[in-house]
Amino acid sequence: MVLLQLSSAQGPAECELAVVKALAQLQREAADAGVKLELLEQEDGERAGTLRSALISLEGDTEDAVARAWEGTIQWTCPSPYRPRHARKNWFFGVARCAAPSATLPSEIRFETTRSSGPGGQHVNKTESAVRATHIATGISVKVQTERSQYANKRLAVLLLAHKLADHDAAADAAQRAQRRALHHQVERGNPHRVFKGERFEPAD
């Protein structure tokens, strides 16, 4: 399983719209590759229908290839849909793979199992498949119930906790903090990894 974070990097609303369009495109590419994509967390943008950031998981035999196709700076070339007379036509956002958890992290976590709640019909509440994982030293916790098996939820919980700990100054080392700040605040303008164009967010030739 791979976690990817898409971020508008404090860009304007056009960059936040590009994140939404990229997420839809990534969903199509993941489906074509037989990779399961789950939206785990999102931060809404300043305008309705936009996103400042999105955290997703990819799982499947070709998950690494799908992730590598997106990692880096992404450029969207399109006239602004919000400011018709605006001269700028290039909008940038970043996609970064979240750091893998350390080998010792599972031993630092307290796991609790509960019955899943919410939609799911007959499959919900029959087994204790939902997992709450708490990092003992910091008290940071996550609850995961997106997967059908307790094992899969536990695995995802460890990845999510590693991501949250990387954002937490008391738990993350300097390199992780610098990497996270670089994603949100220092997306490289120019030299994009991929380029898309137009309202339909089509790959540029």
Side-chain angles (χ1 to χ4, degrees), residues 52-66:
R52 286 194 177 92
S53 68
L55 179 67
I56 65 168
S57 66
L58 298 171
E59 186 169 18
D61 292 340
T62 58
E63 62 189 37
D64 187 64
V66 173

Side-chain angles (χ1 to χ4, degrees), residues 3-8 19-20 23 26 38-44 51-57 94-96 98 163 183-184:
L3 297 190
L4 285 183
Q5 186 176 48
L6 290 71
S7 173
S8 64
V19 169
V20 174
L23 181 58
L26 212 165
E38 292 278 357
L39 176 61
L40 305 175
E41 295 178 359
Q42 69 180 60
E43 182 182 355
D44 293 337
L51 291 173
R52 286 194 177 92
S53 68
L55 179 67
I56 65 168
S57 66
V95 180
C98 298
H163 170 67
L183 169 63
H184 284 292

Side-chain angles (χ1 to χ4, degrees), residues 175-192:
Q176 288 175 316
R177 292 198 302 272
Q179 183 181 21
R180 195 66 56 195
R181 285 196 298 269
L183 169 63
H184 284 292
H185 305 302
Q186 298 173 10
V187 167
E188 181 184 3
R189 265 64 181 180
N191 193 30

Side-chain angles (χ1 to χ4, degrees), residues 25-37 58-70 194:
Q25 176 68 19
L26 212 165
Q27 288 172 327
R28 289 190 289 268
E29 293 183 11
D32 289 344
V35 172
K36 179 182 178 183
L37 184 153
L58 298 171
E59 186 169 18
D61 292 340
T62 58
E63 62 189 37
D64 187 64
V66 173
R68 281 189 284 106
W70 283 89
R194 294 181 72 176

Side-chain angles (χ1 to χ4, degrees), residues 136-151:
I136 297 170
T138 63
I140 294 174
S141 68
V142 297
K143 182 179 180 181
V144 179
Q145 60 181 32
T146 57
E147 306 296 331
R148 291 283 296 277
S149 76
Q150 184 183 123
Y151 172 82

Side-chain angles (χ1 to χ4, degrees), residues 86-165:
H86 194 61
R88 180 177 169 185
K89 292 182 174 60
N90 292 316
W91 316 101
F92 297 90
F93 62 96
V95 180
R97 186 188 302 236
C98 298
S102 68
T104 61
L105 182 58
S107 66
E108 302 167 12
I109 297 173
R110 181 177 66 252
F111 294 99
E112 302 169 87
T113 58
T114 62
R115 295 195 175 192
S116 297
S117 59
Q122 61 181 342
H123 301 298
V124 169
N125 291 331
K126 288 195 173 182
T127 61
E128 293 194 342
S129 60
V131 172
R132 180 175 295 280
T134 303
H135 186 247
I136 297 170
T138 63
I140 294 174
S141 68
V142 297
K143 182 179 180 181
V144 179
Q145 60 181 32
T146 57
E147 306 296 331
R148 291 283 296 277
S149 76
Q150 184 183 123
Y151 172 82
N153 281 328
K154 187 173 180 180
R155 182 179 173 216
L156 179 54
V158 172
L159 288 171
L160 278 173
L161 263 185
H163 170 67
K164 290 186 178 297
L165 289 171

